[in-house]
CSV table of all heavy atoms in Angstrom, one decimal:
chain,number,residue,atom,x,y,z
A,13,ALA,N,67.2,117.3,83.8
A,13,ALA,CA,66.5,116.2,84.5
A,13,ALA,C,67.5,115.1,84.8
A,13,ALA,O,68.3,114.7,84.0
A,13,ALA,CB,65.4,115.6,83.6
A,14,THR,N,67.5,114.6,86.1
A,14,THR,CA,68.5,113.7,86.5
A,14,THR,C,68.3,112.3,85.9
A,14,THR,O,69.2,111.6,85.6
A,14,THR,CB,68.4,113.6,88.0
A,14,THR,OG1,68.5,114.9,88.6
A,14,THR,CG2,69.5,112.7,88.6
A,15,LEU,N,67.1,111.9,85.7
A,15,LEU,CA,66.8,110.6,85.0
A,15,LEU,C,65.9,110.9,83.8
A,15,LEU,O,64.8,111.3,83.9
A,15,LEU,CB,66.1,109.7,85.9
A,15,LEU,CG,66.9,109.2,87.1
A,15,LEU,CD1,66.0,108.2,88.0
A,15,LEU,CD2,68.1,108.4,86.6
A,16,ARG,N,66.5,110.8,82.6
A,16,ARG,CA,65.7,111.0,81.4
A,16,ARG,C,65.3,109.6,80.8
A,16,ARG,O,66.1,108.7,80.7
A,16,ARG,CB,66.5,111.7,80.3
A,16,ARG,CG,66.8,113.2,80.7
A,16,ARG,CD,65.6,114.0,80.8
A,16,ARG,NE,65.1,114.2,79.5
A,16,ARG,CZ,64.0,114.9,79.2
A,16,ARG,NH1,63.3,115.5,80.2
A,16,ARG,NH2,63.5,115.0,78.0
A,17,ALA,N,64.0,109.5,80.5
A,17,ALA,CA,63.4,108.2,80.2
A,17,ALA,C,64.0,107.7,78.9
A,17,ALA,O,64.2,106.5,78.7
A,17,ALA,CB,61.9,108.3,80.0
A,18,HIS,N,64.3,108.6,77.9
A,18,HIS,CA,64.6,108.2,76.6
A,18,HIS,C,66.1,107.9,76.5
A,18,HIS,O,66.6,107.2,75.6
A,18,HIS,CB,64.2,109.2,75.6
A,18,HIS,CG,62.7,109.5,75.6
A,18,HIS,ND1,61.8,108.6,75.2
A,18,HIS,CD2,62.1,110.6,76.0
A,18,HIS,CE1,60.6,109.1,75.3
A,18,HIS,NE2,60.7,110.3,75.8
A,19,THR,N,66.9,108.5,77.4
A,19,THR,CA,68.4,108.2,77.4
A,19,THR,C,68.8,107.4,78.6
A,19,THR,O,70.0,107.0,78.6
A,19,THR,CB,69.1,109.6,77.3
A,19,THR,OG1,68.8,110.3,78.5
A,19,THR,CG2,68.8,110.4,76.1
A,20,GLN,N,68.0,107.3,79.6
A,20,GLN,CA,68.3,106.5,80.8
A,20,GLN,C,69.7,107.1,81.3
A,20,GLN,O,70.6,106.3,81.7
A,20,GLN,CB,68.4,105.0,80.5
A,20,GLN,CG,67.1,104.4,80.1
A,20,GLN,CD,67.2,103.0,79.8
A,20,GLN,OE1,68.3,102.4,79.6
A,20,GLN,NE2,66.1,102.3,79.8
A,21,LEU,N,69.7,108.4,81.5
A,21,LEU,CA,70.9,109.1,81.9
A,21,LEU,C,70.8,109.4,83.4
A,21,LEU,O,69.8,110.0,83.8
A,21,LEU,CB,71.2,110.3,81.1
A,21,LEU,CG,72.6,110.9,81.2
A,21,LEU,CD1,73.6,110.0,80.5
A,21,LEU,CD2,72.6,112.3,80.5
A,22,VAL,N,71.8,109.1,84.1
A,22,VAL,CA,71.9,109.5,85.5
A,22,VAL,C,72.9,110.6,85.7
A,22,VAL,O,74.0,110.5,85.2
A,22,VAL,CB,72.3,108.3,86.4
A,22,VAL,CG1,72.4,108.7,87.9
A,22,VAL,CG2,71.3,107.1,86.3
A,23,VAL,N,72.5,111.6,86.4
A,23,VAL,CA,73.3,112.8,86.7
A,23,VAL,C,73.7,112.8,88.1
A,23,VAL,O,72.9,112.7,89.0
A,23,VAL,CB,72.6,114.1,86.3
A,23,VAL,CG1,73.5,115.3,86.6
A,23,VAL,CG2,72.2,114.1,84.8
A,24,VAL,N,75.0,113.0,88.4
A,24,VAL,CA,75.5,113.0,89.8
A,24,VAL,C,76.3,114.3,90.0
A,24,VAL,O,77.3,114.5,89.3
A,24,VAL,CB,76.4,111.7,90.1
A,24,VAL,CG1,76.9,111.8,91.6
A,24,VAL,CG2,75.6,110.5,89.8
A,25,ASP,N,75.9,115.1,90.9
A,25,ASP,CA,76.7,116.3,91.3
A,25,ASP,C,77.6,116.0,92.4
A,25,ASP,O,77.1,115.4,93.4
A,25,ASP,CB,75.8,117.5,91.6
A,25,ASP,CG,75.0,118.0,90.4
A,25,ASP,OD1,75.5,117.9,89.3
A,25,ASP,OD2,73.8,118.5,90.6
A,26,VAL,N,78.8,116.3,92.4
A,26,VAL,CA,79.8,115.9,93.4
A,26,VAL,C,80.5,117.2,93.9
A,26,VAL,O,81.1,118.0,93.1
A,26,VAL,CB,80.9,115.0,92.9
A,26,VAL,CG1,81.8,114.5,94.0
A,26,VAL,CG2,80.2,113.8,92.2
A,27,VAL,N,80.4,117.5,95.2
A,27,VAL,CA,81.1,118.6,95.8
A,27,VAL,C,82.4,118.0,96.5
A,27,VAL,O,82.3,117.1,97.2
A,27,VAL,CB,80.2,119.2,96.9
A,27,VAL,CG1,81.0,120.3,97.7
A,27,VAL,CG2,79.0,119.8,96.3
A,28,VAL,N,83.5,118.6,96.1
A,28,VAL,CA,84.8,118.1,96.6
A,28,VAL,C,85.5,119.2,97.4
A,28,VAL,O,85.7,120.3,96.9
A,28,VAL,CB,85.7,117.7,95.4
A,28,VAL,CG1,87.0,117.1,95.9
A,28,VAL,CG2,85.0,116.7,94.5
A,29,THR,N,85.8,118.9,98.6
A,29,THR,CA,86.5,119.9,99.5
A,29,THR,C,87.7,119.3,100.1
A,29,THR,O,87.8,118.0,100.3
A,29,THR,CB,85.5,120.4,100.6
A,29,THR,OG1,85.0,119.2,101.3
A,29,THR,CG2,84.3,121.1,100.0
A,30,ASP,N,88.6,120.1,100.6
A,30,ASP,CA,89.8,119.7,101.3
A,30,ASP,C,89.5,119.6,102.8
A,30,ASP,O,88.4,119.8,103.3
A,30,ASP,CB,91.0,120.6,101.0
A,30,ASP,CG,90.7,122.0,101.4
A,30,ASP,OD1,89.9,122.3,102.2
A,30,ASP,OD2,91.4,122.9,100.9
A,31,LYS,N,90.5,119.4,103.6
A,31,LYS,CA,90.4,119.2,105.0
A,31,LYS,C,89.8,120.5,105.7
A,31,LYS,O,89.2,120.4,106.8
A,31,LYS,CB,91.7,118.8,105.7
A,31,LYS,CG,92.1,117.4,105.2
A,31,LYS,CD,93.5,117.0,105.9
A,31,LYS,CE,93.9,115.6,105.5
A,31,LYS,NZ,95.2,115.2,106.1
A,32,SER,N,90.1,121.6,105.1
A,32,SER,CA,89.6,122.9,105.6
A,32,SER,C,88.2,123.3,105.0
A,32,SER,O,87.8,124.5,105.2
A,32,SER,CB,90.6,124.0,105.3
A,32,SER,OG,91.9,123.7,105.9
A,33,GLN,N,87.6,122.4,104.3
A,33,GLN,CA,86.3,122.6,103.7
A,33,GLN,C,86.3,123.6,102.6
A,33,GLN,O,85.3,124.2,102.2
A,33,GLN,CB,85.3,123.1,104.8
A,33,GLN,CG,85.0,122.1,105.9
A,33,GLN,CD,84.5,120.7,105.4
A,33,GLN,OE1,83.6,120.7,104.6
A,33,GLN,NE2,85.1,119.6,105.8
A,34,ASN,N,87.5,123.8,102.0
A,34,ASN,CA,87.6,124.7,100.8
A,34,ASN,C,87.4,123.9,99.6
A,34,ASN,O,87.8,122.7,99.5
A,34,ASN,CB,89.0,125.3,100.8
A,34,ASN,CG,89.3,126.3,102.0
A,34,ASN,OD1,88.4,127.1,102.3
A,34,ASN,ND2,90.4,126.1,102.6
A,35,PRO,N,86.7,124.5,98.6
A,35,PRO,CA,86.5,123.7,97.3
A,35,PRO,C,87.8,123.4,96.6
A,35,PRO,O,88.7,124.1,96.6
A,35,PRO,CB,85.6,124.6,96.5
A,35,PRO,CG,85.9,126.0,97.0
A,35,PRO,CD,86.2,125.8,98.5
A,36,VAL,N,87.8,122.2,96.0
A,36,VAL,CA,89.0,121.7,95.2
A,36,VAL,C,88.6,121.9,93.8
A,36,VAL,O,87.6,121.3,93.3
A,36,VAL,CB,89.3,120.2,95.5
A,36,VAL,CG1,90.4,119.7,94.7
A,36,VAL,CG2,89.6,120.1,97.0
A,37,ARG,N,89.4,122.6,93.0
A,37,ARG,CA,89.1,123.0,91.7
A,37,ARG,C,90.0,122.3,90.7
A,37,ARG,O,91.0,121.7,91.1
A,37,ARG,CB,89.3,124.5,91.5
A,37,ARG,CG,88.4,125.3,92.5
A,37,ARG,CD,88.6,126.8,92.2
A,37,ARG,NE,87.9,127.6,93.2
A,37,ARG,CZ,86.6,127.9,93.2
A,37,ARG,NH1,85.8,127.4,92.2
A,37,ARG,NH2,86.0,128.6,94.2
A,38,ASN,N,89.6,122.4,89.4
A,38,ASN,CA,90.4,121.9,88.3
A,38,ASN,C,90.7,120.4,88.3
A,38,ASN,O,91.7,120.0,87.8
A,38,ASN,CB,91.8,122.7,88.2
A,38,ASN,CG,91.6,124.2,88.1
A,38,ASN,OD1,90.7,124.7,87.4
A,38,ASN,ND2,92.4,124.9,88.9
A,39,LEU,N,89.8,119.6,88.8
A,39,LEU,CA,89.9,118.2,88.7
A,39,LEU,C,89.4,117.8,87.3
A,39,LEU,O,88.6,118.5,86.6
A,39,LEU,CB,89.0,117.5,89.7
A,39,LEU,CG,89.4,117.7,91.2
A,39,LEU,CD1,88.4,117.0,92.1
A,39,LEU,CD2,90.9,117.1,91.4
A,40,LYS,N,89.9,116.6,86.8
A,40,LYS,CA,89.5,116.1,85.5
A,40,LYS,C,88.7,114.9,85.6
A,40,LYS,O,88.6,114.2,86.7
A,40,LYS,CB,90.8,115.7,84.7
A,40,LYS,CG,91.8,116.9,84.6
A,40,LYS,CD,91.3,118.1,83.9
A,40,LYS,CE,92.3,119.2,83.9
A,40,LYS,NZ,91.8,120.4,83.3
A,41,ALA,N,88.0,114.5,84.5
A,41,ALA,CA,87.2,113.3,84.5
A,41,ALA,C,88.0,112.1,84.9
A,41,ALA,O,87.5,111.2,85.6
A,41,ALA,CB,86.5,113.1,83.2
A,42,SER,N,89.2,112.0,84.5
A,42,SER,CA,90.1,110.9,84.8
A,42,SER,C,90.4,110.7,86.3
A,42,SER,O,90.9,109.7,86.7
A,42,SER,CB,91.4,111.0,84.0
A,42,SER,OG,92.1,112.2,84.2
A,43,ASP,N,90.2,111.8,87.0
A,43,ASP,CA,90.4,111.7,88.5
A,43,ASP,C,89.3,111.0,89.2
A,43,ASP,O,89.5,110.6,90.4
A,43,ASP,CB,90.5,113.1,89.1
A,43,ASP,CG,91.7,113.9,88.5
A,43,ASP,OD1,92.8,113.3,88.3
A,43,ASP,OD2,91.6,115.1,88.3
A,44,PHE,N,88.2,110.8,88.5
A,44,PHE,CA,87.0,110.2,89.2
A,44,PHE,C,86.8,108.7,88.7
A,44,PHE,O,87.0,108.4,87.6
A,44,PHE,CB,85.7,111.0,88.9
A,44,PHE,CG,85.7,112.4,89.5
A,44,PHE,CD1,86.3,113.4,88.9
A,44,PHE,CD2,85.0,112.6,90.7
A,44,PHE,CE1,86.3,114.7,89.4
A,44,PHE,CE2,85.0,113.8,91.2
A,44,PHE,CZ,85.6,114.9,90.6
A,45,THR,N,86.3,107.9,89.7
A,45,THR,CA,85.8,106.6,89.4
A,45,THR,C,84.4,106.5,89.9
A,45,THR,O,84.1,106.9,91.0
A,45,THR,CB,86.7,105.5,90.1
A,45,THR,OG1,88.0,105.6,89.7
A,45,THR,CG2,86.1,104.1,89.8
A,46,LEU,N,83.5,106.0,89.0
A,46,LEU,CA,82.1,106.0,89.3
A,46,LEU,C,81.6,104.6,89.2
A,46,LEU,O,81.8,103.8,88.3
A,46,LEU,CB,81.3,106.9,88.2
A,46,LEU,CG,79.9,107.1,88.4
A,46,LEU,CD1,79.6,107.9,89.7
A,46,LEU,CD2,79.4,108.0,87.2
A,47,LEU,N,80.8,104.2,90.3
A,47,LEU,CA,80.3,102.8,90.4
A,47,LEU,C,78.8,102.9,90.7
A,47,LEU,O,78.4,103.8,91.5
A,47,LEU,CB,81.0,102.0,91.4
A,47,LEU,CG,82.5,101.8,91.3
A,47,LEU,CD1,83.3,102.8,92.1
A,47,LEU,CD2,82.9,100.4,91.7
A,48,GLU,N,78.1,101.9,90.2
A,48,GLU,CA,76.7,101.8,90.6
A,48,GLU,C,76.5,100.3,91.0
A,48,GLU,O,76.8,99.4,90.2
A,48,GLU,CB,75.7,102.1,89.4
A,48,GLU,CG,74.3,101.9,89.8
A,48,GLU,CD,73.3,102.2,88.6
A,48,GLU,OE1,73.2,103.4,88.2
A,48,GLU,OE2,72.8,101.2,88.0
A,49,SER,N,76.0,100.2,92.2
A,49,SER,CA,75.8,98.8,92.8
A,49,SER,C,77.1,98.0,92.7
A,49,SER,O,77.1,96.8,92.4
A,49,SER,CB,74.6,98.1,92.2
A,49,SER,OG,73.4,98.8,92.3
A,50,GLY,N,78.2,98.7,92.9
A,50,GLY,CA,79.5,98.0,92.8
A,50,GLY,C,80.1,97.8,91.5
A,50,GLY,O,81.3,97.4,91.3
A,51,GLN,N,79.4,98.1,90.4
A,51,GLN,CA,79.8,97.9,89.0
A,51,GLN,C,80.3,99.2,88.4
A,51,GLN,O,79.7,100.3,88.5
A,51,GLN,CB,78.7,97.4,88.2
A,51,GLN,CG,78.2,96.0,88.6
A,51,GLN,CD,79.2,95.0,88.6
A,51,GLN,OE1,80.0,94.8,87.6
A,51,GLN,NE2,79.3,94.2,89.7
A,52,PRO,N,81.5,99.2,87.9
A,52,PRO,CA,82.1,100.5,87.2
A,52,PRO,C,81.2,101.0,86.1
A,52,PRO,O,80.6,100.2,85.4
A,52,PRO,CB,83.5,100.0,86.7
A,52,PRO,CG,83.8,98.8,87.5
A,52,PRO,CD,82.5,98.1,87.8
A,53,GLN,N,81.1,102.3,86.0
A,53,GLN,CA,80.3,102.9,85.0
A,53,GLN,C,81.1,103.9,84.2
A,53,GLN,O,82.0,104.5,84.7
A,53,GLN,CB,79.1,103.7,85.7
A,53,GLN,CG,78.2,102.9,86.6
A,53,GLN,CD,77.4,101.8,85.9
A,53,GLN,OE1,76.9,102.1,84.8
A,53,GLN,NE2,77.4,100.6,86.5
A,54,GLN,N,80.8,104.0,82.9
A,54,GLN,CA,81.6,104.9,82.0
A,54,GLN,C,81.0,106.3,82.1
A,54,GLN,O,79.8,106.5,82.0
A,54,GLN,CB,81.5,104.4,80.6
A,54,GLN,CG,82.2,105.3,79.6
A,54,GLN,CD,82.1,104.8,78.2
A,54,GLN,OE1,81.4,103.8,77.9
A,54,GLN,NE2,82.7,105.6,77.3
A,55,ILE,N,81.8,107.3,82.4
A,55,ILE,CA,81.4,108.6,82.5
A,55,ILE,C,81.1,109.2,81.2
A,55,ILE,O,82.0,109.3,80.3
A,55,ILE,CB,82.4,109.5,83.3
A,55,ILE,CG1,82.6,109.0,84.7
A,55,ILE,CG2,82.0,111.0,83.3
A,55,ILE,CD1,83.7,109.7,85.5
A,56,LYS,N,79.9,109.6,80.9
A,56,LYS,CA,79.5,110.1,79.6
A,56,LYS,C,79.9,111.5,79.4
A,56,LYS,O,80.3,111.9,78.3
A,56,LYS,CB,78.0,109.9,79.4
A,56,LYS,CG,77.5,108.5,79.3
A,56,LYS,CD,77.6,108.0,77.9
A,56,LYS,CE,76.9,106.6,77.8
A,56,LYS,NZ,77.0,106.1,76.4
A,57,SER,N,79.7,112.3,80.4
A,57,SER,CA,80.0,113.7,80.3
A,57,SER,C,80.5,114.2,81.7
A,57,SER,O,80.2,113.6,82.7
A,57,SER,CB,78.8,114.6,79.9
A,57,SER,OG,77.8,114.5,80.8
A,58,PHE,N,81.3,115.3,81.6
A,58,PHE,CA,82.0,115.8,82.9
A,58,PHE,C,82.1,117.3,82.7
A,58,PHE,O,82.4,117.8,81.7
A,58,PHE,CB,83.4,115.2,83.0
A,58,PHE,CG,84.1,115.7,84.2
A,58,PHE,CD1,84.0,115.2,85.5
A,58,PHE,CD2,85.0,116.7,84.0
A,58,PHE,CE1,84.7,115.7,86.5
A,58,PHE,CE2,85.8,117.3,85.1
A,58,PHE,CZ,85.6,116.7,86.3
């Protein structure tokens, strides 16, 4: 469930591709920055 009432957890699926539309693999959580309404958010799981 993308929004769970008891944990208030938001789930975001991200598709990452290169200029040739090929999938980009082996990225790490530290490669991503996540913001909600302009405010940085801590990534709980990756």
